[in-house]
């Protein structure tokens, strides 16, 4: 028994906050797409559940790790005690709004389900994923989707094709803090409207129209790290791009609609950046 499961990052092509809910979460509508920046999970034989991580020193190996939590909810749902060694090769920056931890949790559920003969359907896996975090259900299928509710309700679309520049400026943002420091906001937007504004131009390849429509309400947060993200955006604008913060930050991305952007200002600042594709 050996299994390799890729665990891709995502970007939010838009995110609108509809208001704060009684349970403390925010009601939102967001459009997400997976991208070809991937962690990898290796499932190897073992006589117990073990986790090792390569490529990040900061992540915990204990019960607070989403991979360990995913193994636990899998066990509770199926009665199967996972006996595997999971080796995580970390590539996706942490605290970057790229969904790395959520993606790892979804990849763990999918990997364990496959190893133990698929006791859970894709729908059951998606429901289980919601216990682990608002973004985790999206990563069970990945591709292109509108997520709503607190992010756990999904409407999927066929994956689109676009190139993007992704910049991680080297500092993380805390999702919790970014949401906590949001000014009160009550957007009236619906899933149908998000489809019109974002999905339609995306699937018809009208990237300029898409760029104009893209917005992220979390950029209004008064969290300090979001203030710092604004500087990153300014630099990308000076390269002729239309940047947007991904999710709760700190990474920033821009669609590449022509190949002529000058990335020298990013090189000078020694920021981590990559040219990537939607997958
Ligand atoms: O669901 P997840 O554990 O990823 O969320 C992390 C934190 O982000 C939550 O504790 C909450 O403070 C905030 N959040 C929110 N509204 C959402 C999603 C997350 O307020 N829809």
């Amino acid at each position: 028994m050996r299994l390799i499961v890729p665990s891709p990052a995502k970007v939010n092509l838009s995110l609108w906050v509809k208001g704060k809910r009684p349970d403390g979460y925010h009601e939102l509508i967001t459009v997400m797409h997976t991208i070809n920046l991937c962690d990898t999970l290796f499932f190897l034989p073992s006589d117990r559940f073990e986790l090792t991580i390569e490529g990040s020193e900061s992540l915990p190996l204990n019960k607070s790790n989403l991979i360990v939590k995913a193994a636990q909810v899998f066990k509770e749902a199926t009665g199967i005690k996972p006996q595997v060694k999971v080796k995580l090769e970390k590539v996706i920056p942490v605290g970057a709004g790229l969904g790395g931890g959520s993606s790892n949790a979804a990849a763990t559920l999918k990997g364990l389900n496959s190893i133990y003969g698929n006791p859970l359907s894709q729908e059951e896996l998606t429901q289980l994923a919601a216990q682990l975090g608002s973004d985790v259900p999206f990563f069970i299928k990945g591709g292109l989707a509108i997520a709503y509710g607190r992010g756990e309700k999904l409407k999927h679309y066929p994956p689109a094709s676009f190139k993007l520049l992704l910049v991680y400026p080297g500092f993380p943002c805390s999702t919790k803090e970014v949401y906590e420091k949001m000014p009160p906001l009550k957007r009236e937007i619906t899933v149908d409207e998000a489809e019109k504004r974002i999905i339609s131009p995306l699937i018809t390849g009208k990237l300029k129209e898409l760029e104009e429509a893209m917005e992220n309400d979390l950029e209004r947060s008064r969290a300090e790290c979001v203030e710092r993200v604004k500087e990153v955006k300014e630099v990308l604008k000076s390269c002729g791009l239309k940047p947007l913060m991904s999710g709760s930050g700190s990474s920033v991305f821009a669609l590449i609609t022509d190949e002529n952007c000058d990335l020298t200002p990013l090189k000078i600042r020694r920021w981590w950046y990559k040219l990537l594709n939607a997958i």
Side-chain angles (χ1 to χ4, degrees):
M1 181 280 298
R2 268 164 209 276
L3 182 68
I4 299 177
V5 182
S7 177
K10 56 85 180 160
V11 287
N12 299 72
L13 294 169
S14 278
L15 189 155
W16 298 278
V17 174
K18 299 192 69 175
K20 197 161 181 197
R21 313 186 333 176
D23 65 4
Y25 281 90
H26 290 75
E27 192 75 10
L28 54 84
I29 293 190
T30 182
V31 183
M32 293 193 274
H33 209 302
T34 39
I35 56 173
N36 67 340
L37 175 72
C38 294
D39 291 342
T40 310
L41 271 75
F42 297 85
F43 294 81
L44 305 161
S46 179
D47 55 2
R48 62 205 157 93
F49 185 82
E50 296 174 77
L51 171 64
T52 60
I53 302 177
E54 287 176 11
S56 167
E57 262 109 66
S58 62
L59 289 173
L61 290 167
N62 58 21
K63 278 189 292 190
S64 65
N65 189 298
L66 275 174
I67 292 177
V68 179
K69 286 188 186 167
Q72 182 63 30
V73 298
F74 179 82
K75 184 178 141 198
E76 282 160 15
T78 60
I80 301 166
K81 196 167 166 230
Q83 291 184 307
V84 288
K85 174 175 174 170
V86 178
K87 186 177 92 175
L88 166 65
E89 273 183 15
K90 197 79 199 151
V91 172
I92 305 169
V94 176
L98 298 170
S102 301
S103 177
N104 294 166
T108 305
L109 291 179
K110 287 194 285 185
L112 293 177
N113 200 43
S114 165
I115 285 167
Y116 291 105
N118 295 310
L120 302 172
S121 66
Q122 177 139 327
E123 208 181 303
E124 287 169 321
L125 280 180
T126 309
Q127 277 172 17
L128 212 53
Q131 294 178 27
L132 297 164
S134 309
D135 279 353
V136 185
F138 164 73
F139 285 106
I140 296 294
K141 190 159 186 251
L144 172 62
I146 295 181
Y148 56 104
R150 67 176 167 94
E152 86 288 16
K153 295 180 187 158
L154 296 166
K155 184 167 179 189
H156 278 278
Y157 302 85
S161 169
F162 61 91
K163 284 191 169 103
L164 68 152
L165 170 71
L166 181 68
V167 181
Y168 172 66
F171 58 85
C173 282
S174 151
T175 302
K176 195 167 179 289
E177 189 193 347
V178 170
Y179 275 103
E180 271 170 8
K181 299 202 170 144
M182 276 297 288
L185 207 57
K186 282 203 189 313
R187 293 279 214 165
E188 294 295 336
I189 185 144
T190 60
V191 170
D192 280 355
E193 184 60 29
E195 212 168 86
K196 263 191 223 133
R197 288 194 206 176
I198 305 295
I199 306 285
S200 298
L202 179 59
I203 59 184
T204 53
K206 293 179 185 145
L207 294 185
K208 290 281 173 201
E209 194 183 308
L210 172 63
E211 261 184 345
E212 290 301 321
M214 284 180 1
E215 52 188 339
N216 181 354
D217 283 343
L218 298 181
E219 290 181 347
R220 301 166 188 232
S221 169
R222 288 165 191 142
E224 197 218 315
C225 90
V226 174
E227 289 301 316
R228 294 174 71 190
V229 167
K230 283 180 189 145
E231 294 170 34
V232 182
K233 285 188 67 181
E234 287 311 312
V235 172
L236 282 169
K237 281 182 198 163
S238 76
C239 302
L241 295 162
K242 290 228 156 150
L244 195 72
M245 184 168 87
S246 181
S248 55
S250 62
S251 68
V252 172
F253 71 98
L255 301 180
I256 302 295
T257 52
D258 56 54
E259 304 290 333
N260 296 331
C261 45
D262 172 18
L263 301 180
T264 311
L266 302 182
K267 290 181 190 147
I268 292 169
R269 283 169 177 80
R270 297 181 184 215
W271 283 335
W272 178 110
Y273 71 90
K274 277 187 179 0
L275 287 163
L276 297 163
N277 291 296
I279 53 168

